Amino acid sequence: MLVILKDDYDAMSKEAALIVVDRLRKKPNMVLGLATGSTPIGLYKELIRMHVDEGLDFSKVTTFNLDEYVGLSPCHDQSYQYFMKQNLFNHINIQAQNIHLPDGMANDIDHFCDWYEEEIRKAGGIDLQILGIGPNGHIAFNEPGSSLGSRTRIKTLTENTRKANARFFKSINEVPKYAITMGVGTIMDAKELVLLANGAGKADAIKAAVEGPLTGQCPASIIQLHRKTFVIADHDASSKLSGSYPGTWRSSFMLER
Ligand code: F6R
């Protein structure tokens, strides 16, 4: 695991973009795993900027998103499909048929989840998966207590996660109770992981994920077993990491763990 400490959100986002762009240039038809939420927006902005200013080409890229709320249509402004269009897909030259998100309106959710796993497999697996982290250590919608070997499936959102996400809805009552999410095992199959975290609200989760015991109570702690993981955290999100990080100021500091 490589932990990269950056000063702020902007620097965190640009560092993540450097990794994505490097992989994309080496493999133009890469399979990219994507996350929603507030954390990766800066990364997506930087990718859009590089597409517009430098012609960064997404025409051969295939994407798979981590998760989607159950019961929200793709047109709902809080669906993850809508989010991805607004924040990335509408602004780059990705081909619509190469975009994959869980279908929150699927009639047979179990069947859909099997199909999603099979599509990932048929695409050759995910080359690089972008991850955010919940304040409770969740990755995708794998809440504490999730099986560390889990595959794509329907999950019940915890009250904490519903409260955290209520800021995007008119009230907490409107926040869906279920989501379809890639499993922890699905995420771990990606060849590389890039986990992003910013803000003091993520400090405990980052500490638990990077330095804590491996436990389903912090699903993100599984990344300690991944062979190629980058954790990119800003100053506040990394503030509770152990004192073994040298230096008085940690701009661009990297630690191999
Ligand atoms: C979203 C996802 C979630 C978020 C997490 C952090 O696709 O997978 O696990 O990454 O809830 O959300 P933000 O970035 O809004 O703090």
Side-chain angles (χ1 to χ4, degrees):
M1 182 192 298
L2 197 59
V3 182
I4 305 175
L5 308 178
K6 305 299 287 189
D7 288 348
D8 55 27
Y9 178 77
D10 196 42
M12 176 201 79
S13 303
K14 289 198 166 117
E15 185 73 25
L18 285 179
I19 297 173
V20 174
V21 170
D22 174 72
R23 305 309 188 263
L24 179 52
R25 292 212 163 113
K26 286 179 180 144
K27 186 178 177 188
N29 64 342
M30 76 180 292
V31 180
L32 185 56
L34 297 172
T36 58
S38 48
T39 309
I41 289 178
L43 160 64
Y44 297 157
K45 279 199 177 128
E46 183 63 9
L47 294 178
I48 293 166
R49 187 196 66 72
M50 292 184 80
H51 170 68
V52 172
D53 293 351
E54 300 169 26
L56 187 65
D57 182 18
F58 291 86
S59 63
K60 298 189 183 73
V61 172
T62 295
T63 62
F64 286 91
N65 262 78
L66 287 169
D67 42 18
E68 177 62 283
Y69 289 119
V70 168
L72 294 193
S73 88
C75 310
H76 191 290
D77 65 1
Q78 290 308 325
S79 76
Y80 286 172
Q81 176 129 204
Y82 187 91
F83 173 100
M84 288 309 304
K85 283 186 181 153
Q86 295 296 312
N87 289 291
L88 184 64
F89 297 149
N90 285 353
H91 312 286
I92 58 174
N93 65 332
I94 191 162
Q95 300 196 52
Q97 70 267 25
N98 291 347
I99 294 171
H100 302 82
L101 280 103
D103 179 1
M105 301 297 280
N107 286 327
D108 184 341
I109 289 181
D110 289 346
H111 182 264
F112 176 83
C113 293
D114 291 345
W115 177 85
Y116 202 67
E117 288 273 334
E118 181 62 13
E119 286 299 294
I120 295 173
R121 199 191 59 74
K122 283 201 304 208
I126 292 170
D127 290 307
L128 187 154
Q129 176 68 56
I130 305 296
L131 296 170
I133 184 169
N136 62 4
H138 72 226
I139 43 174
F141 272 127
N142 297 287
E143 299 285 18
S146 294
S147 158
L148 296 179
S150 52
R151 311 302 307 185
T152 302
R153 67 211 185 292
I154 186 167
K155 281 292 285 178
T156 307
L157 306 187
T158 63
E159 277 312 294
N160 276 347
T161 294
R162 292 186 68 234
K163 272 184 206 150
N165 290 2
R167 65 190 194 274
F168 301 117
F169 292 81
K170 287 198 193 94
S171 79
I172 189 159
N173 298 329
E174 288 187 18
V175 183
K177 294 195 167 71
Y178 305 98
I180 296 174
T181 180
M182 277 189 207
V184 181
T186 319
I187 292 167
M188 285 293 285
D189 283 348
K191 290 163 198 123
E192 289 187 281
L193 303 178
V194 175
L195 188 150
L196 304 176
N198 66 287
K202 301 295 174 68
D204 286 325
I206 283 295
K207 167 114 183 127
V210 173
E211 297 177 344
L214 188 69
T215 168
Q217 290 309 314
C218 175
S221 63
I222 191 75
I223 63 171
Q224 294 174 30
L225 289 184
H226 196 276
R227 284 194 296 179
K228 213 157 178 212
T229 290
F230 299 86
V231 174
I232 311 178
D234 77 347
H235 177 264
D236 291 346
S238 60
S239 59
K240 294 196 176 168
L241 288 175
S242 89
S244 64
Y245 293 79
T248 46
W249 189 238
R250 308 177 298 174
S251 176
S252 267
F253 179 70
M254 292 194 190
L255 177 80
E256 287 186 48
R257 283 182 65 87

